[in-house]
Amino acid sequence: MRLALERIYLPPRGRVTDDTSVLTLRSLAFEPLCRWQDGRVLPALLAAWSHSDDGRAWRFGLRAGAVFHDGVACTAAHVLATIRATLDGRDMFGMPWSYARYLAGAEIVADGADAIRITTPEPLADLPEVLSEFVCAREDASGEAVLGTGPYRITRYLPNQAADLLATDPARTPAKIHAIAMPDAEARFGALRTEAADVALNLERRDAAPGGHGLVWGEAPNTLSVMAYLNGAEGLFRDPRARLAANLAVDRDAIIARLFHGLGLPATTIVSPFHLGMRGSRPPAIPHDPARARALFAAAGAGAPILIRAPDHMPERAPAIAAMIAADLTACGCPATVEVIADRPFYARQVSARQIGDIALFDSSPHSSFRVIDDKISARSCGPWWQGHDDPTLEALFRTAVATQDEAARDAAYGRCLARLQDNPPWLFLFHPVEVFAARAGLPPLSLDHRGVLHFA
């Protein structure tokens, strides 16, 4: 099977990513420590776990018979090396991840060759979900982290060009995969038309709407949140009325329809419908209500121009999104101007340093409700992306959720957190993108999950 991906890249051991091309390639050759699926955490390389009554002491057992592709047995030592590398890792912008903060003061040790123990200073019921982002890999003789325990063995890896994979089980279909790097969405689509590729991902990034051409099309909404930070530390958006007014003023449906061919789900809170806390009652999106927005802006003292900052990419079509937001806010009595920043890593570092103007367009990628709140919302944590939001009611709800061990009860506890954040929004909620793939007719069934990973039947 010839698979056209936006990127061919295998990050170094310990590097976490949300790039859907990389996630798809990784999922073929490697196993996560735990497997995340729509807010639930399932066994993976760590096949079973248990915890103490107080939720501080955990034991994780490895999958029996796990072997790297070079025949080396996977042991607790390899898992510990993965965890330690990830705790020391940095993101794509060179900024440290928050994992070291979550596990600060934790004792992480092997329990024989086939289990590890983690003891945290405070209860962390979301620990398996955090570990679901850690991928176990080893370097080969060339120093590339290409050795995994997944269903496919990498036989050739040319970064930014191509990768060849061979199924470890001869009965698996497809038996061989040839992944090709094609950064341009039109080139990936063209490869399907000329039969140079069998499957192409991320075709939502074409200018044309998906469908037709004798191809089999598939899509899935993604857990990614396209959103905008509201400056809760200073200026107009310290006032909760102004934050609610912004959410009432902006027409999410129009942004999705005009810029993305309708490929998006309107966001209702800080996370997607597939996150923990959203299994039960899913709240409707804040309605587009310009009249109420205008009244709330007036009550909050709006009138002086505000600044919207946006990158030139990540999220897709960010300048156009920012322009539509500015027009909607201006029409509701909150005049806005837009500044576009071309240097995306510099822009991310500015956001982390809380230099966002009044509004900063961004995206939120963690599939963990715990991580989104801890990194971006909680004033108690003051995480790397926190922008001054301070809500004691939320903090009490969050502390309860983090300490709740029962899965159903924790889902309900996070549901209360998310409902509170809709009532008192810290962000301008926008949408969750829908990702699209296409395949030549006659292939076995294919599907995308809500993280954007391609799956073979």
Side-chain angles (χ1 to χ4, degrees), residues 167-322:
T168 57
D169 179 355
R172 185 178 295 275
T173 301
K176 296 179 181 180
I177 298 171
H178 176 57
I180 317 157
M182 293 186 175
D184 181 69
E186 291 298 338
R188 294 194 296 277
F189 177 68
L192 290 174
R193 300 290 311 280
T194 61
E195 299 189 2
D198 299 307
V199 185
L201 267 61
N202 293 116
L203 295 183
E204 74 283 352
R205 293 176 185 168
R206 296 180 65 227
D207 290 333
H213 301 280
L215 300 171
V216 177
W217 294 83
E219 63 182 46
N222 197 268
T223 55
L224 181 79
S225 294
V226 177
M227 40 71 81
Y229 284 115
L230 301 176
N231 191 337
E234 58 186 13
L236 175 65
F237 294 108
R238 290 188 64 187
D239 191 320
R241 295 172 296 184
R243 297 197 298 272
L244 178 58
N247 277 280
L248 292 162
V250 172
D251 189 343
R252 298 165 187 78
D253 291 329
I255 291 173
I256 295 167
R258 191 177 305 172
L259 301 181
F260 298 96
H261 303 292
L263 295 170
L265 294 181
T268 65
T269 181
I270 61 166
V271 297
S272 77
F274 315 107
H275 279 68
L276 189 67
M278 296 288 276
R279 290 184 204 162
S281 175
R282 295 181 182 177
I286 297 173
H288 179 224
D289 189 339
R292 188 180 175 205
R294 179 177 287 277
L296 286 171
F297 273 135
I306 65 163
L307 175 63
I308 301 173
R309 304 186 81 236
D312 67 352
H313 68 289
M314 293 180 64
E316 294 289 316
R317 298 178 173 84
I321 296 171

Side-chain angles (χ1 to χ4, degrees), residues 270 369-378 398 414 417 421:
I270 61 166
S369 296
F370 161 76
R371 281 199 59 207
V372 176
I373 297 175
D374 194 80
D375 284 7
K376 308 179 185 215
I377 307 294
S378 170
F398 184 42
Y414 274 107
C417 294
L421 287 164

